[in-house]
Amino acid sequence: MNTFPPNSRSLDPIDEKIVWELRRDARISNNELAARVNVAPSTALTRLRALRESGVIVSSHAQYDMTALGLDLHAIVFIRLKPGAQSSSREYAERAVKFINVVNVFLMGGSYDLLVHVACTSSSQLQELVAQQIAADPVVASAQAHIVFEHLIAAQHMDHVDGFPVMRGERE
């Protein structure tokens, strides 16, 4: 069985299937969720509440079309911190995640300390963001922006996968 944080609860296959379906589409109605998981709507609702209360489901987010909002240019900024500053990568990440055009911040192991996903209106806005905000921090040694041409969301392409047990390699 899985190990969970003390404030969490163990998940059974129905709970995992609920989370799996919500991962694919968080807007799904309770009746549709119940049908996909093969339980009564009241059971789906009760379990969903329990998953939220236990912290297994932290939040639900809308996936939106940034181009429709005028944010056509996406980039991943690869950041290396100065030698000795790696211990403060969390503090830098907490500053960077507040920059207006930042979508996500990933703290990394390996060649780069952080990856920052940004969405901008233009290359000049991207350049300004990288030069004046991201790289201007004294702990940053280098910041390289790599343009994103297309972004596919795996959860929207997982019809061929039957849940978390497959992802964990417990079954095919």
Side-chain angles (χ1 to χ4, degrees), residues 15-95:
D15 290 332
E16 284 195 356
K17 187 73 171 162
I18 288 171
V19 175
W20 182 262
E21 292 299 331
L22 292 173
R23 176 180 178 256
R24 293 178 60 215
D25 183 0
R27 297 177 308 155
I28 190 172
S29 72
N30 186 64
N31 286 340
E32 179 64 22
L33 177 62
R36 289 186 188 180
V37 178
N38 259 348
V39 297
S42 60
T43 301
L45 188 59
T46 300
R47 284 177 175 257
L48 182 56
R49 282 188 187 134
L51 289 164
R52 286 184 176 135
E53 288 171 5
S54 68
V56 172
I57 295 177
V58 179
S59 65
S60 301
H61 301 275
Q63 186 64 40
Y64 49 94
D65 180 353
M66 288 197 201
T67 299
L69 298 169
L71 298 165
D72 298 342
L73 182 65
H74 291 249
I76 305 295
V77 183
F78 291 71
I79 299 170
R80 281 193 184 107
L81 300 180
K82 290 181 179 172
Q86 285 81 7
S87 62
S88 62
S89 62
R90 174 71 185 191
E91 290 84 12
Y92 176 78
E94 289 174 1
R95 288 191 300 277

Side-chain angles (χ1 to χ4, degrees), residues 99-172:
F99 298 154
I100 292 172
N101 294 85
V102 170
V103 178
N104 292 298
V105 174
F106 303 93
L107 283 86
M108 306 295 293
S111 300
Y112 296 94
D113 299 302
L114 297 103
L115 298 182
V116 179
H117 173 198
V118 300
C120 297
T121 59
S122 63
S123 59
S124 60
Q125 186 184 43
L126 173 62
Q127 182 180 14
E128 183 177 313
L129 173 66
V130 172
Q132 295 179 9
Q133 291 185 307
I134 293 174
D137 194 291
V139 300
V140 174
S142 69
Q144 299 175 350
H146 296 257
I147 303 300
V148 174
F149 293 124
E150 193 171 351
H151 173 209
L152 301 178
I153 299 165
Q156 296 172 351
H157 299 273
M158 289 291 174
D159 293 337
H160 66 288
V161 178
D162 189 27
F164 293 109
V166 176
M167 288 182 75
R168 291 190 298 262
E170 296 169 0
R171 64 173 209 253
E172 291 182 25

